[in-house]
């Protein structure tokens, strides 16, 4: 049976107090709308249609390649009206799952169970419900004496007795497409908010002898809607817990899962340890048996197996197996490290390839360079890649040795086994196997230091 999701996302989200449309705000690195689209996809939906209105241009642009279609609701005249504007895009038959763009915690499993319940009961409409300790603001689920669904009453339309009901409308529904399409014209707006309510379809169904039911789920977290930044952070915390729990059950150790911030799309291999304060974002992939120590931030990077990283930042880079990084190293975009590389403390690498077994153990800048295998880059080495106007690339071949405090003025080419003496500024190419020394000759002036010391002592004693 054809299954379509209709995701309502035209509302303004005024309480977010943001320039960004509400559904584009992210939870664990993923837009709320993307969370809902993916949950629908995971539940076997054939197609998603998104109703957009406020910030329509931005939302459309963001989800251009997401494989969804859009319906535009110019004026937000209610949830029922939002469905009306998508009427022509809806199929004649099959199921239509109506969802909200601001409920990022809904899972594919719950939607699957909603669909299964709907089909088993042969309902024309099924609403997803949950119990809330504080149901204020939600539509209340009114059931008849035998427990069957009778109607949904909005907070603003509810009498005191109805307000006591703690079973609420999640705003998510499963419809038989034919019933939904032909009933939309019957919606009216004679209610407290003068809006077209999608919830009126329950009464319309029952009046026509179409079966309507409620599917109550025990976990009310999943239907949590985000209306302000407090709720956004609450949703983020719940999602974080879910993500970290998933990784732990898949064989990843967390020193303290409460302080590890892992985006939804990140992959981590087994037996990797994640320290406190670790942030893994975007499309990052971490291999097996890695040690990601405290306070690392890794974004959109691919890390091999058996890699140790301490307190470092890695952006859009790749790191080979058995490499060690940090503490306090900075890999900027397009740093590509081979296997068994060592990038030590306060080393910055940018737009550079570093071959297997090479080392830069302390305090160096390696920018715009191709460094071969088993190269030693000493303390304080600078790849001088920028002349104030242009950037240039340098090449250092296998088994070269770049002594401490050397400057390589790009573009230079250091051939195999080239040896740069400490303190040398290199501005020409270095032939294979040769030594380059470029230091001013030092002078030794005997007793100079002792005289200075004595002067200082005399001055102190005179005080
Ligand atoms: C709605 C339900 C309420 C339910 C609650 C769950 C109705 C009448 N009420 O209330 O029973 O408990 O959701 O959160 O349906 N939207 C549009 N166009 C509109 C209006 C809304 O696209 O004209 C979208 C919003 O962007 C949002 C969703 O529909 O994603 C729900 O809208 P919202 O205004 O939050 O509905 P509530 O009044 O809270
Ligand atoms: Ca709402």
């Amino acid at each position: 049976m054809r299954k379509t999701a209709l995701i309502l996302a035209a509302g303004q989200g005024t309480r977010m107090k943001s320039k960004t449309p509400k559904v584009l705000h992210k939870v664990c690195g993923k837009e709320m709308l993307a969370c809902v689209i993916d949950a629908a996809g995971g539940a076997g939906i054939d197609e998603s249609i998104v109703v957009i209105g406020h910030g329509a241009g931005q939302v459309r642009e963001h989800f251009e390649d997401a494989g969804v279609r859009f319906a535009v609701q110019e004026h937000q005249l209610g949830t029922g009206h939002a469905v009306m504007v998508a009427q022509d895009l809806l199929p004649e038959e099959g199921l239509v799952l109506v969802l909200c763009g601001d409920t990022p915690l809904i899972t594919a499993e719950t939607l699957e169970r909603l669909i299964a319940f709907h089909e088993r009961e042969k309902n024309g409409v099924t609403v997803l419900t949950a119990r809330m300790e504080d149901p204020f603001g939600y539509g209340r689920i009114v059931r008849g004496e035998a427990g069957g669904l009778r109607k949904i009453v909005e907070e603003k339309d509810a009498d005191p007795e109805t307000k006591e009901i703690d079973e609420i409308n999640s705003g998510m529904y499963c419809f038989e497409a034919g019933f939904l399409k032909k009933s939309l014209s019957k919606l009216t707006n004679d209610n407290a908010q003068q809006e077209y309510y999608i919830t009126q379809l329950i009464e319309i169904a029952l009046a026509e002898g179409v079966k309507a039911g409620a599917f109550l789920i025990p976990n009310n977290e999943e239907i949590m809607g985000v209306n302000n930044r407090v709720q956004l952070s609450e949703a983020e915390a719940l999602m974080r817990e879910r993500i970290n729990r998933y990784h732990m059950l898949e064989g990843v150790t967390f020193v303290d899962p409460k302080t590890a911030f892992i985006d939804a799309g990140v992959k981590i291999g087994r037996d990797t340890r994640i320290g406190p304060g670790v942030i893994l974002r975007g499309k990052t992939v971490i291999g097996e048996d890695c040690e990601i120590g405290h306070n690392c931030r890794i974004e959109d990077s691919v890390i091999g197996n058996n890699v140790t990283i301490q307190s470092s930042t890695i952006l859009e880079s790749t790191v080979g197996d058995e490499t060690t990084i940090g503490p306090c190293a900075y890999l900027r975009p397009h740093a590509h490290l081979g296997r068994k590389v060592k990038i030590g403390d306060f080393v910055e690498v940018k737009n550079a390839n570093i071959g297997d077994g090479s080392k830069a153990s302390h305090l160096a800048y390696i920018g715009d360079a191709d460094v071969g295998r088993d190269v030693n880059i000493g303390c304080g080495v600078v790849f001088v890649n920028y002349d104030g106007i242009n950037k240039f690339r340098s090449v250092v071949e296998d088994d070269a040795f770049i002594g401490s405090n050397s400057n390589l003025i790009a573009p230079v080419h250091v051939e195999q086994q080239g040896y740069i003496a400490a303190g040398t500024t290199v501005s020409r190419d270095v032939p294979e196997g040769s030594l380059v020394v470029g230091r001013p000759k030092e002078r030794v002036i005997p007793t100079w230091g002792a005289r200075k010391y004595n002067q200082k002592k005399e001055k102190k004693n005179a005080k």
Side-chain angles (χ1 to χ4, degrees):
M1 186 188 301
R2 184 166 180 79
K3 300 187 184 96
T4 307
L6 181 67
I7 304 171
L8 310 187
Q12 187 164 16
T14 321
R15 285 168 284 170
M16 294 297 281
K17 303 196 174 157
S18 178
K19 291 181 282 300
T20 305
K22 177 160 86 173
V23 294
L24 294 187
H25 281 266
K26 291 178 178 177
V27 168
C28 295
K30 188 165 166 180
E31 301 83 1
M32 291 198 275
L33 179 54
C35 295
V36 179
I37 292 172
D38 284 359
I45 292 296
D46 298 295
E47 193 200 12
S48 287
I49 300 165
V50 182
V51 181
I52 51 180
H54 276 279
Q58 259 172 289
V59 179
R60 194 194 282 270
E61 199 179 322
H62 224 88
F63 285 88
E64 222 163 32
D65 304 321
V68 299
R69 287 200 288 167
F70 297 97
V72 179
Q73 187 191 26
E74 297 282 355
H75 301 288
Q76 282 70 52
L77 305 179
T79 48
H81 182 255
V83 182
M84 287 179 204
V85 303
Q87 192 162 13
D88 292 344
L89 298 181
L90 291 173
E92 299 297 328
E93 43 193 53
L95 284 180
V96 177
L97 208 51
V98 175
L99 306 172
C100 295
D102 61 358
T103 54
L105 296 167
I106 189 65
T107 63
E109 295 72 46
T110 293
L111 296 178
E112 269 174 2
R113 278 193 274 132
L114 169 65
I115 293 169
F117 177 86
H118 176 86
E119 290 182 328
R120 200 165 56 235
E121 295 288 313
K122 300 194 166 56
N123 284 342
V125 48
T126 307
V127 54
L128 185 71
T129 72
R131 293 193 190 285
M132 288 282 177
E133 221 165 272
D134 178 12
F136 181 83
Y138 286 99
R140 306 297 205 284
I141 301 298
V142 179
R143 290 178 183 263
E145 260 144 45
L149 177 63
R150 276 189 48 215
K151 59 180 173 178
I152 301 174
V153 180
E154 293 306 296
E155 177 81 35
K156 287 184 178 140
D157 299 305
D159 57 30
E161 197 187 329
T162 307
K163 285 181 183 170
E164 292 295 308
I165 297 172
D166 70 347
E167 186 183 1
I168 60 96
N169 171 20
S170 68
M172 298 178 230
Y173 318 80
C174 193
F175 285 96
E176 195 270 300
F179 164 74
L180 177 63
K181 279 194 95 160
K182 77 170 197 306
S183 306
L184 287 172
S185 60
K186 295 173 189 154
L187 293 179
T188 57
N189 67 349
D190 50 354
N191 50 54
Q193 304 185 85
Q194 295 186 328
E195 284 183 358
Y196 295 93
Y197 291 169
I198 190 175
T199 49
Q200 199 189 347
L201 290 168
I202 305 286
E203 289 156 85
I204 292 171
L206 294 172
E208 291 176 1
V210 172
K211 256 188 104 186
F215 182 61
L216 176 68
I217 54 164
N219 180 5
N220 61 20
E221 260 170 43
E222 285 199 30
I223 63 162
M224 175 190 171
V226 171
N227 295 313
N228 57 42
R229 312 263 183 157
V230 175
Q231 291 169 337
L232 184 67
S233 81
E234 286 165 0
E236 171 106 12
L238 291 166
M239 186 68 94
R240 182 155 69 235
E241 212 178 289
R242 225 188 246 177
I243 290 170
N244 292 356
R245 191 184 155 76
Y246 165 82
H247 288 298
M248 288 187 277
L249 293 175
E250 286 295 312
V252 179
T253 298
F254 284 73
V255 171
D256 179 6
K258 285 198 177 56
T259 63
F261 304 83
I262 320 281
D263 274 3
V266 170
K267 297 192 172 75
I268 311 174
R270 293 202 171 159
D271 290 315
T272 283
R273 278 169 59 87
I274 305 288
V278 167
I279 303 173
L280 304 179
R281 311 192 63 175
K283 295 185 170 66
T284 294
V285 178
I286 311 270
E288 297 187 354
D289 300 299
C290 291
E291 178 79 38
I292 313 296
H294 63 274
N295 298 340
C296 287
R297 176 164 68 99
I298 306 177
E299 297 188 2
D300 296 315
S301 295
V302 178
I303 312 295
N305 299 325
N306 272 299
V307 172
T308 301
I309 306 174
Q310 297 183 65
S311 308
S312 292
T313 300
I314 301 182
L315 310 175
E316 295 170 46
S317 291
T318 60
V319 175
D321 298 347
E322 296 175 66
T323 285
T324 67
I325 296 173
C328 303
Y330 186 17
L331 266 51
R332 289 166 54 203
H334 310 296
H336 299 296
L337 312 185
R339 296 164 62 101
K340 295 192 182 182
V341 169
K342 180 175 181 201
I343 298 297
D345 52 279
F346 303 100
V347 173
E348 177 176 333
V349 183
K350 183 215 79 171
N351 194 20
N353 303 308
I354 298 184
D356 297 351
S358 289
K359 292 188 172 71
S361 298
H362 355 250
L363 301 154
Y365 173 61
I366 306 166
D368 299 311
D370 295 300
V371 176
R373 293 166 175 244
D374 297 312
V375 171
N376 189 84
I377 295 172
C379 180
V381 168
V382 176
F383 282 63
V384 185
N385 59 332
Y386 184 50
D387 65 2
I389 301 166
N390 293 306
K391 298 226 167 90
F392 300 93
R393 239 185 134 74
S394 287
V395 176
V396 177
E397 291 187 2
D398 298 350
D399 302 302
F401 183 97
I402 316 294
S404 290
N405 230 21
S406 305
N407 299 311
L408 302 184
I409 315 282
V412 291
H413 189 138
V414 179
E415 290 185 8
Q416 281 187 33
Q417 296 161 24
Y419 197 109
I420 314 293
T424 300
T425 293
V426 181
S427 55
R428 282 179 292 174
D429 291 353
V430 177
E432 184 174 334
S434 47
L435 167 73
V436 181
V437 200
R439 299 173 192 154
K441 218 172 172 59
E442 67 266 52
R443 285 164 67 202
V444 178
I445 305 172
T447 73
W448 193 97
R451 273 186 281 137
K452 199 79 185 169
Y453 174 77
N454 289 334
Q455 277 171 15
K456 206 162 105 184
K457 217 159 77 174
E458 272 168 33
K459 192 173 172 189
K460 202 171 161 195
N461 290 343
K463 270 189 192 164

mmCIF file of all heavy atoms in Angstrom, residues 134-160:
data_model
loop_
_atom_site.group_PDB
_atom_site.id
_atom_site.type_symbol
_atom_site.label_atom_id
_atom_site.label_comp_id
_atom_site.label_asym_id
_atom_site.label_seq_id
_atom_site.Cartn_x
_atom_site.Cartn_y
_atom_site.Cartn_z
ATOM 1 N N ASP A 134 1.427 17.375 32.691
ATOM 2 C CA ASP A 134 0.840 18.699 32.517
ATOM 3 C C ASP A 134 0.333 18.831 31.074
ATOM 4 O O ASP A 134 1.099 19.175 30.178
ATOM 5 C CB ASP A 134 1.901 19.777 32.808
ATOM 6 C CG ASP A 134 1.344 21.173 32.593
ATOM 7 O OD1 ASP A 134 0.102 21.310 32.448
ATOM 8 O OD2 ASP A 134 2.153 22.122 32.556
ATOM 9 N N PRO A 135 -0.944 18.565 30.860
ATOM 10 C CA PRO A 135 -1.469 18.552 29.478
ATOM 11 C C PRO A 135 -1.796 19.940 28.934
ATOM 12 O O PRO A 135 -2.265 20.063 27.804
ATOM 13 C CB PRO A 135 -2.748 17.718 29.617
ATOM 14 C CG PRO A 135 -3.212 17.962 31.016
ATOM 15 C CD PRO A 135 -1.989 18.201 31.849
ATOM 16 N N PHE A 136 -1.508 20.979 29.704
ATOM 17 C CA PHE A 136 -1.881 22.341 29.316
ATOM 18 C C PHE A 136 -1.409 22.670 27.900
ATOM 19 O O PHE A 136 -0.272 22.415 27.534
ATOM 20 C CB PHE A 136 -1.308 23.369 30.304
ATOM 21 C CG PHE A 136 -1.676 24.781 29.954
ATOM 22 C CD1 PHE A 136 -2.910 25.295 30.335
ATOM 23 C CD2 PHE A 136 -0.817 25.583 29.203
ATOM 24 C CE1 PHE A 136 -3.272 26.597 29.982
ATOM 25 C CE2 PHE A 136 -1.170 26.874 28.850
ATOM 26 C CZ PHE A 136 -2.401 27.387 29.239
ATOM 27 N N GLY A 137 -2.308 23.249 27.113
ATOM 28 C CA GLY A 137 -1.942 23.703 25.774
ATOM 29 C C GLY A 137 -2.225 22.703 24.673
ATOM 30 O O GLY A 137 -2.375 23.078 23.515
ATOM 31 N N TYR A 138 -2.277 21.439 25.040
ATOM 32 C CA TYR A 138 -2.515 20.405 24.028
ATOM 33 C C TYR A 138 -4.012 20.184 23.801
ATOM 34 O O TYR A 138 -4.837 20.494 24.669
ATOM 35 C CB TYR A 138 -1.938 19.071 24.503
ATOM 36 C CG TYR A 138 -0.444 18.985 24.443
ATOM 37 C CD1 TYR A 138 0.328 19.182 25.589
ATOM 38 C CD2 TYR A 138 0.208 18.674 23.250
ATOM 39 C CE1 TYR A 138 1.708 19.078 25.553
ATOM 40 C CE2 TYR A 138 1.586 18.569 23.202
ATOM 41 C CZ TYR A 138 2.341 18.769 24.353
ATOM 42 O OH TYR A 138 3.691 18.659 24.308
ATOM 43 N N GLY A 139 -4.351 19.594 22.655
ATOM 44 C CA GLY A 139 -5.703 19.115 22.424
ATOM 45 C C GLY A 139 -5.933 17.885 23.293
ATOM 46 O O GLY A 139 -5.050 17.033 23.421
ATOM 47 N N ARG A 140 -7.124 17.808 23.928
ATOM 48 C CA ARG A 140 -7.411 16.668 24.811
ATOM 49 C C ARG A 140 -8.190 15.584 24.064
ATOM 50 O O ARG A 140 -9.058 15.882 23.231
ATOM 51 C CB ARG A 140 -8.241 17.104 26.019
ATOM 52 C CG ARG A 140 -7.669 18.245 26.814
ATOM 53 C CD ARG A 140 -6.321 17.893 27.453
ATOM 54 N NE ARG A 140 -6.118 18.737 28.620
ATOM 55 C CZ ARG A 140 -5.759 20.023 28.551
ATOM 56 N NH1 ARG A 140 -5.553 20.606 27.387
ATOM 57 N NH2 ARG A 140 -5.620 20.725 29.662
ATOM 58 N N ILE A 141 -7.860 14.349 24.393
ATOM 59 C CA ILE A 141 -8.506 13.186 23.778
ATOM 60 C C ILE A 141 -9.753 12.835 24.592
ATOM 61 O O ILE A 141 -9.651 12.431 25.762
ATOM 62 C CB ILE A 141 -7.541 11.984 23.750
ATOM 63 C CG1 ILE A 141 -6.262 12.341 22.962
ATOM 64 C CG2 ILE A 141 -8.218 10.743 23.168
ATOM 65 C CD1 ILE A 141 -6.480 12.684 21.498
ATOM 66 N N VAL A 142 -10.909 13.006 23.987
ATOM 67 C CA VAL A 142 -12.170 12.676 24.674
ATOM 68 C C VAL A 142 -12.627 11.308 24.196
ATOM 69 O O VAL A 142 -12.799 11.082 22.996
ATOM 70 C CB VAL A 142 -13.256 13.742 24.383
ATOM 71 C CG1 VAL A 142 -14.565 13.376 25.092
ATOM 72 C CG2 VAL A 142 -12.770 15.129 24.804
ATOM 73 N N ARG A 143 -12.750 10.383 25.161
ATOM 74 C CA ARG A 143 -13.185 9.023 24.826
ATOM 75 C C ARG A 143 -14.602 8.802 25.347
ATOM 76 O O ARG A 143 -15.005 9.404 26.346
ATOM 77 C CB ARG A 143 -12.234 7.996 25.437
ATOM 78 C CG ARG A 143 -10.845 7.965 24.787
ATOM 79 C CD ARG A 143 -9.951 6.956 25.487
ATOM 80 N NE ARG A 143 -8.585 6.928 24.956
ATOM 81 C CZ ARG A 143 -8.162 6.048 24.041
ATOM 82 N NH1 ARG A 143 -8.990 5.144 23.540
ATOM 83 N NH2 ARG A 143 -6.900 6.072 23.639
ATOM 84 N N GLY A 144 -15.335 7.916 24.690
ATOM 85 C CA GLY A 144 -16.698 7.581 25.111
ATOM 86 C C GLY A 144 -16.688 6.592 26.251
ATOM 87 O O GLY A 144 -15.617 6.200 26.745
ATOM 88 N N GLU A 145 -17.901 6.156 26.663
ATOM 89 C CA GLU A 145 -17.998 5.245 27.811
ATOM 90 C C GLU A 145 -17.244 3.936 27.588
ATOM 91 O O GLU A 145 -16.614 3.409 28.490
ATOM 92 C CB GLU A 145 -19.462 4.968 28.150
ATOM 93 C CG GLU A 145 -19.933 5.824 29.323
ATOM 94 C CD GLU A 145 -21.374 6.274 29.170
ATOM 95 O OE1 GLU A 145 -22.218 5.432 28.805
ATOM 96 O OE2 GLU A 145 -21.624 7.475 29.398
ATOM 97 N N ALA A 146 -17.315 3.414 26.355
ATOM 98 C CA ALA A 146 -16.642 2.131 26.059
ATOM 99 C C ALA A 146 -15.144 2.347 25.790
ATOM 100 O O ALA A 146 -14.433 1.399 25.470
ATOM 101 C CB ALA A 146 -17.309 1.477 24.856
ATOM 102 N N GLY A 147 -14.667 3.566 25.920
ATOM 103 C CA GLY A 147 -13.242 3.834 25.739
ATOM 104 C C GLY A 147 -12.882 4.244 24.326
ATOM 105 O O GLY A 147 -11.727 4.570 24.057
ATOM 106 N N GLY A 148 -13.868 4.230 23.418
ATOM 107 C CA GLY A 148 -13.572 4.604 22.027
ATOM 108 C C GLY A 148 -13.388 6.111 21.885
ATOM 109 O O GLY A 148 -13.902 6.899 22.686
ATOM 110 N N LEU A 149 -12.622 6.483 20.850
ATOM 111 C CA LEU A 149 -12.361 7.910 20.608
ATOM 112 C C LEU A 149 -13.639 8.631 20.189
ATOM 113 O O LEU A 149 -14.387 8.141 19.336
ATOM 114 C CB LEU A 149 -11.307 8.027 19.501
ATOM 115 C CG LEU A 149 -10.932 9.438 19.038
ATOM 116 C CD1 LEU A 149 -10.299 10.244 20.164
ATOM 117 C CD2 LEU A 149 -9.976 9.361 17.847
ATOM 118 N N ARG A 150 -13.898 9.785 20.788
ATOM 119 C CA ARG A 150 -15.073 10.571 20.387
ATOM 120 C C ARG A 150 -14.678 11.863 19.683
ATOM 121 O O ARG A 150 -15.202 12.202 18.649
ATOM 122 C CB ARG A 150 -15.931 10.877 21.607
ATOM 123 C CG ARG A 150 -16.881 9.715 21.952
ATOM 124 C CD ARG A 150 -17.872 10.111 23.032
ATOM 125 N NE ARG A 150 -18.496 11.397 22.728
ATOM 126 C CZ ARG A 150 -18.842 12.292 23.659
ATOM 127 N NH1 ARG A 150 -18.625 12.052 24.939
ATOM 128 N NH2 ARG A 150 -19.399 13.431 23.314
ATOM 129 N N LYS A 151 -13.756 12.588 20.286
ATOM 130 C CA LYS A 151 -13.328 13.844 19.639
ATOM 131 C C LYS A 151 -12.050 14.367 20.295
ATOM 132 O O LYS A 151 -11.603 13.853 21.322
ATOM 133 C CB LYS A 151 -14.436 14.891 19.735
ATOM 134 C CG LYS A 151 -14.862 15.226 21.152
ATOM 135 C CD LYS A 151 -15.968 16.272 21.135
ATOM 136 C CE LYS A 151 -16.498 16.474 22.554
ATOM 137 N NZ LYS A 151 -17.537 17.487 22.645
ATOM 138 N N ILE A 152 -11.492 15.388 19.682
ATOM 139 C CA ILE A 152 -10.331 16.077 20.254
ATOM 140 C C ILE A 152 -10.748 17.517 20.498
ATOM 141 O O ILE A 152 -11.306 18.165 19.603
ATOM 142 C CB ILE A 152 -9.124 16.025 19.290
ATOM 143 C CG1 ILE A 152 -8.737 14.564 18.994
ATOM 144 C CG2 ILE A 152 -7.942 16.790 19.873
ATOM 145 C CD1 ILE A 152 -7.653 14.401 17.930
ATOM 146 N N VAL A 153 -10.496 17.983 21.716
ATOM 147 C CA VAL A 153 -10.900 19.349 22.066
ATOM 148 C C VAL A 153 -9.656 20.172 22.403
ATOM 149 O O VAL A 153 -8.843 19.767 23.238
ATOM 150 C CB VAL A 153 -11.877 19.342 23.271
ATOM 151 C CG1 VAL A 153 -12.292 20.770 23.634
ATOM 152 C CG2 VAL A 153 -13.107 18.489 22.952
ATOM 153 N N GLU A 154 -9.523 21.298 21.744
ATOM 154 C CA GLU A 154 -8.375 22.183 21.993
ATOM 155 C C GLU A 154 -8.491 22.837 23.375
ATOM 156 O O GLU A 154 -9.594 23.077 23.866
ATOM 157 C CB GLU A 154 -8.307 23.270 20.915
ATOM 158 C CG GLU A 154 -7.976 22.737 19.541
ATOM 159 C CD GLU A 154 -6.704 21.919 19.529
ATOM 160 O OE1 GLU A 154 -5.627 22.470 19.810
ATOM 161 O OE2 GLU A 154 -6.776 20.700 19.254
ATOM 162 N N GLU A 155 -7.353 23.157 23.950
ATOM 163 C CA GLU A 155 -7.310 23.851 25.240
ATOM 164 C C GLU A 155 -8.279 25.043 25.251
ATOM 165 O O GLU A 155 -9.075 25.215 26.179
ATOM 166 C CB GLU A 155 -5.874 24.361 25.485
ATOM 167 C CG GLU A 155 -5.671 25.171 26.755
ATOM 168 C CD GLU A 155 -5.508 24.301 27.988
ATOM 169 O OE1 GLU A 155 -4.913 23.216 27.890
ATOM 170 O OE2 GLU A 155 -5.999 24.726 29.054
ATOM 171 N N LYS A 156 -8.207 25.850 24.211
ATOM 172 C CA LYS A 156 -9.002 27.081 24.166
ATOM 173 C C LYS A 156 -10.502 26.841 24.017
ATOM 174 O O LYS A 156 -11.298 27.744 24.251
ATOM 175 C CB LYS A 156 -8.514 27.985 23.028
ATOM 176 C CG LYS A 156 -7.176 28.615 23.359
ATOM 177 C CD LYS A 156 -6.703 29.582 22.304
ATOM 178 C CE LYS A 156 -5.386 30.211 22.726
ATOM 179 N NZ LYS A 156 -4.448 30.360 21.636
ATOM 180 N N ASP A 157 -10.867 25.623 23.580
ATOM 181 C CA ASP A 157 -12.294 25.304 23.423
ATOM 182 C C ASP A 157 -12.803 24.419 24.561
ATOM 183 O O ASP A 157 -13.976 24.035 24.561
ATOM 184 C CB ASP A 157 -12.517 24.565 22.089
ATOM 185 C CG ASP A 157 -12.103 25.414 20.893
ATOM 186 O OD1 ASP A 157 -12.609 26.536 20.769
ATOM 187 O OD2 ASP A 157 -11.259 24.946 20.096
ATOM 188 N N ALA A 158 -11.904 24.074 25.504
ATOM 189 C CA ALA A 158 -12.250 23.048 26.494
ATOM 190 C C ALA A 158 -12.949 23.627 27.727
ATOM 191 O O ALA A 158 -12.606 24.714 28.201
ATOM 192 C CB ALA A 158 -10.979 22.321 26.925
ATOM 193 N N ASP A 159 -13.952 22.861 28.247
ATOM 194 C CA ASP A 159 -14.554 23.239 29.530
ATOM 195 C C ASP A 159 -13.668 22.668 30.645
ATOM 196 O O ASP A 159 -12.781 21.842 30.387
ATOM 197 C CB ASP A 159 -16.006 22.735 29.611
ATOM 198 C CG ASP A 159 -16.109 21.232 29.413
ATOM 199 O OD1 ASP A 159 -15.145 20.506 29.776
ATOM 200 O OD2 ASP A 159 -17.127 20.764 28.888
ATOM 201 N N PRO A 160 -13.892 23.115 31.893
ATOM 202 C CA PRO A 160 -13.006 22.690 32.985
ATOM 203 C C PRO A 160 -12.873 21.168 33.098
ATOM 204 O O PRO A 160 -11.778 20.660 33.369
ATOM 205 C CB PRO A 160 -13.684 23.277 34.228
ATOM 206 C CG PRO A 160 -14.457 24.442 33.725
ATOM 207 C CD PRO A 160 -14.908 24.082 32.337
#
